[in-house]
């Protein structure tokens, strides 16, 4: 790796229905006169001339031949930030590079090419051919071992370093903080999520159960399944942004709720984190607002009822498999057992009473989710009843132990929700 931080790169995109990337444009990270980070992006002329060209995102980088500039997010456009590795991926890359602090662009350039969405990054004008080989689900045991060594901060042995490159870098570009890798089987590509030694309950099993539970509440969820390797559980979540084709994979474009909200990741900057605003932004860009806005409402109700307080904007996304955008399936649903019975807050604003996970608060802004009062009330009461009466059985049916179920019990349908 170059010791000098990279300052520009090419941005590649895999167009709808295609499996090979093309060059979309050029991104440059510089400083303005005052020394503040400034990002610039231009679409390539030949890209704009393609009849099947699509915009990188529907918010900031619309298809046009001007130069885009941003001083927000350290000069990194939202869609590029979404494609850039998060906590877990950065750790793996730093470990591999042996450098603690890399430039923003270095993370982009060093993360693997299987990041969520349709973008790729590189220093050559022409995109590299897509990776043909992925880790197989059969290699999960090995991947898990390496992930655990990285979590323990152990120095992975030198002869293993090359394998860390091969094996783990393949999971670095997926965001999130939990240890994960991308694996392939006959059906396609999956995000494999591992348990952490410091987890208070079997997170992977519970995560899988939450996706099942959400499905019973008429929420569109990512497909998932559990695998047990070397006595440890792994949840495999099917990638909804990839589809197996004759040659390789087609890629859906994908941007996070953060980008839709033009928001920052840091919790201290959460003033733009709002489901109400997310609903409005969603309605502006998706093809079927009357389907997606109520769907978002159901997800907020669900999150409130399972105390999923980790529902920050990066745990929501929109995707475009062809030209049109839509809300992605739900993913990363985690209950958090909280002691307080009177008031719990979600990560994002819900209504007139701010982040309060409460039915009245949810109803206060139901119109923005394109719901009549009666419809919104029915969603809330049906889901409350359903979750109250079924969460335990659903969780146990997925093999969550009675002890773990008791540990998370207080997350479900807490008293303050109905005040
Ligand atoms: N099934 C999926 N298909 C495509 N992208 C996904 C899928 N699940 C998660 N992602 C992407 O990977 C990121 C990290 O996954 P997530 O489940 O949120 O992990 P974590 O628990 O570490 O936050 C998400 O923010 C999202 O961008
Ligand atoms: Mg997440």
């Amino acid at each position: 790796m170059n010791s000098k931080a990279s300052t520009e790169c090419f941005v590649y995109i895999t167009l709808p229905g295609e499996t090979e990337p093309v060059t979309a444009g050029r991104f440059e990270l510089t400083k303005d006169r005052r020394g503040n980070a400034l990002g610039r992006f231009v679409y390539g002329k030949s890209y704009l001339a393609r009849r099947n060209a699509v915009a990188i995102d529907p918010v900031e980088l619309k298809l046009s031949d001007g130069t885009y500039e941003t001083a927000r997010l350290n000069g990194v456009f939202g869609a590029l930030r979404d494609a850039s590795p998060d906590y877990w991926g950065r750790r793996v890359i730093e470990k591999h590079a042996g450098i603690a602090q890399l430039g923003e662009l270095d993370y982009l350039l060093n993360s693997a090419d299987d990041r969520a969405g349709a973008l790729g990054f590189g220093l050559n004008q022409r995109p590299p051919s897509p990776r043909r080989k992925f880790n197989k689900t059969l290699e999960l045991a090995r991947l898990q071992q390496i992930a655990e060594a990285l979590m323990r901060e152990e120095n992975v042995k030198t002869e293993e370093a090359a394998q860390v490159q091969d094996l783990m870098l393949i999971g670095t570009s997926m965001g999130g903080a939990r240890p994960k890798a991308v694996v392939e089987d006959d059906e396609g590509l999956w995000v494999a999520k591992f348990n952490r030694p410091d987890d208070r309950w079997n997170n992977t099993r519970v995560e899988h159960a939450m996706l099942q539970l959400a499905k019973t509440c008429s929420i569109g969820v990512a497909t998932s399944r559990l695998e047990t390797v070397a006595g440890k559980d792994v949840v495999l979540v099917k990638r909804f942004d990839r589809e197996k084709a004759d040659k390789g994979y087609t890629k859906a474009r994908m941007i996070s709720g953060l980008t839709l909200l033009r928001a920052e990741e840091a919790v201290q900057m959460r003033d733009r984190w709002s489901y109400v605003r997310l609903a409005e932004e969603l309605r502006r860009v998706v093809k079927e607002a009357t389907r997606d806005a109520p769907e978002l409402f159901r997800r907020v109700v669900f999150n409130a009822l399972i105390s999923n307080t980790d529902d920050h904007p990066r745990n929501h996304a929109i995707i475009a498999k062809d030209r049109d955008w839509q809300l992605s399936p739900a993913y990363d649903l985690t209950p958090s057992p909280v002691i307080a019975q009177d008031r719990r807050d979600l990560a994002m604003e819900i209504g007139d009473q701010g982040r309060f996970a409460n039915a009245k608060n949810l109803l206060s802004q139901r119109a923005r989710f394109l719901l009549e009062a009666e419809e919104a009330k029915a969603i809330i009461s049906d889901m409350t009843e359903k979750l109250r009466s079924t969460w335990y059985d659903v969780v146990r049916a997925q093999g969550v132990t009675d002890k773990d179920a008791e540990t998370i019990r207080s997350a479900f349908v807490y008293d303050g929700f109905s005040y």
Side-chain angles (χ1 to χ4, degrees):
M1 184 179 304
N2 224 315
S3 61
K4 189 168 160 287
S6 309
T7 56
E8 59 177 67
C9 70
F10 288 93
V11 178
Y12 316 124
I13 191 168
T14 303
L15 290 166
E18 314 257 315
T19 54
E20 305 272 337
V22 297
T23 304
R26 208 163 54 87
F27 174 62
E28 187 190 3
L29 195 54
T30 59
K31 294 207 185 312
D32 67 12
R33 265 182 254 142
R34 292 213 200 100
N36 298 320
L38 182 72
R40 285 206 188 94
F41 178 81
V42 273
Y43 282 107
K45 289 222 166 21
S46 57
Y47 182 72
L48 290 170
R50 284 175 188 275
R51 87 197 133 66
N52 57 348
V54 290
I56 285 177
D57 76 69
V59 185
E60 272 183 314
L61 299 172
K62 299 190 177 145
L63 267 190
S64 133
D65 62 1
T67 298
Y68 287 100
E69 283 193 349
T70 186
R72 296 177 42 240
L73 307 174
N74 292 320
V76 182
F77 293 93
L80 307 192
R81 178 261 323 269
D82 288 345
S84 159
D86 220 342
Y87 176 78
W88 172 253
R90 283 173 192 241
R91 263 194 74 186
V92 179
I93 291 171
E94 285 156 10
K95 201 98 202 167
H96 177 251
I99 304 171
Q101 269 293 311
L102 294 162
E104 266 319 300
L105 265 184
D106 293 311
Y107 288 109
L108 263 188
L109 291 168
N110 282 285
S111 58
D113 195 32
D114 59 356
R115 59 179 63 77
L119 300 183
F121 306 89
L123 295 174
N124 297 322
Q125 176 142 25
R126 289 170 61 105
S129 20
R131 166 182 280 277
R132 303 274 175 222
K133 237 176 114 256
F134 288 96
N135 285 309
K136 300 292 174 193
T137 40
L138 287 172
E139 288 156 321
L140 276 171
R142 180 88 190 99
L143 289 167
Q144 180 163 269
Q145 264 177 14
I146 294 177
E148 281 178 0
L150 284 166
M151 281 183 274
R152 285 193 303 266
E153 286 286 354
E154 259 173 26
N155 279 325
V156 184
K157 280 191 239 106
T158 341
E159 73 263 27
E160 286 183 350
Q163 289 190 42
V164 172
Q165 154 98 326
D166 286 353
L167 297 175
M168 292 313 286
L169 280 183
I170 301 176
T172 53
S173 37
M174 302 305 287
R178 293 193 62 84
K180 57 177 75 62
V182 173
V183 288
E184 183 183 47
D185 67 7
D186 292 342
E187 284 175 62
L189 293 175
W190 305 75
V191 182
K193 296 177 76 174
F194 307 111
N195 279 321
R196 297 177 52 102
D198 52 352
D199 285 340
R200 284 190 293 146
W201 60 85
N202 189 330
N203 271 250
T204 57
R205 248 174 218 277
V206 169
E207 183 163 342
H208 174 64
M210 289 308 106
L211 290 169
Q212 301 300 308
L213 196 58
K215 199 157 141 191
T216 69
C217 295
S218 306
I219 290 169
V221 296
T223 306
S224 65
R225 71 164 202 260
L226 279 165
E227 290 235 348
T228 305
V229 292
K232 290 173 184 163
D233 296 322
V234 184
V235 59
L236 297 183
V237 188
K238 184 90 191 288
R239 286 196 55 176
F240 46 71
D241 61 336
R242 291 287 183 278
E243 228 157 278
K244 224 179 154 110
D246 285 349
K247 280 190 269 154
Y249 287 91
T250 60
K251 300 184 176 183
R253 285 170 288 158
M254 177 162 159
I255 62 166
S256 72
L258 277 174
T259 296
L260 258 184
L261 291 168
R262 297 174 185 80
E264 304 257 352
E265 176 116 55
V267 172
Q268 308 86 281
M269 310 277 282
R270 63 149 53 125
D271 53 308
R272 283 163 179 258
W273 292 15
S274 156
Y275 278 115
V276 181
R277 286 196 50 224
L278 190 61
E280 303 223 306
E281 298 297 337
L282 194 67
R283 283 163 53 189
R284 286 226 298 252
V285 301
V286 297
K287 183 172 182 222
E288 288 188 58
T290 52
R291 178 194 61 195
D292 289 356
E295 167 75 14
L296 180 61
F297 186 82
R298 286 195 293 277
R299 293 183 193 182
V300 191
V301 177
F302 184 82
N303 286 338
L305 283 165
I306 71 157
S307 304
N308 177 14
T309 52
D310 189 37
D311 61 332
H312 54 78
R314 216 176 184 169
N315 280 334
H316 297 276
I318 56 169
I319 57 170
K321 295 189 173 180
D322 44 44
R323 292 202 153 256
D324 301 317
W325 291 88
Q326 64 184 89
L327 188 62
S328 80
Y331 56 90
D332 203 7
L333 305 174
T334 23
S336 59
V338 185
I339 295 164
Q341 278 301 325
D342 289 346
R343 180 176 174 128
R344 293 178 188 176
D345 283 346
L346 294 187
M348 294 205 258
E349 232 166 73
I350 298 171
D352 298 350
Q353 294 180 75
R355 298 188 283 123
F356 186 17
N358 166 272
K360 279 208 188 75
N361 195 23
L362 274 157
L363 286 170
S364 71
Q365 292 290 340
R366 52 90 196 152
R368 316 263 203 129
F369 298 85
L370 305 179
L371 288 165
E372 299 295 337
E374 289 315 308
E375 293 172 312
K377 278 186 195 152
I379 291 173
I380 290 173
S381 60
D382 290 354
M383 214 184 289
T384 307
E385 254 337 285
K386 173 136 230 160
L387 289 175
R388 198 197 306 279
S389 57
T390 65
W391 78 266
Y392 185 86
D393 293 339
V394 170
V395 157
R396 295 282 284 134
Q398 297 306 333
V400 173
T401 61
D402 180 54
K403 180 165 168 285
D404 279 359
E406 290 309 323
T407 307
I408 58 173
R409 173 177 289 282
S410 68
F412 299 92
V413 199
Y414 85 109
D415 291 348
F417 178 80
S418 307
Y419 287 176

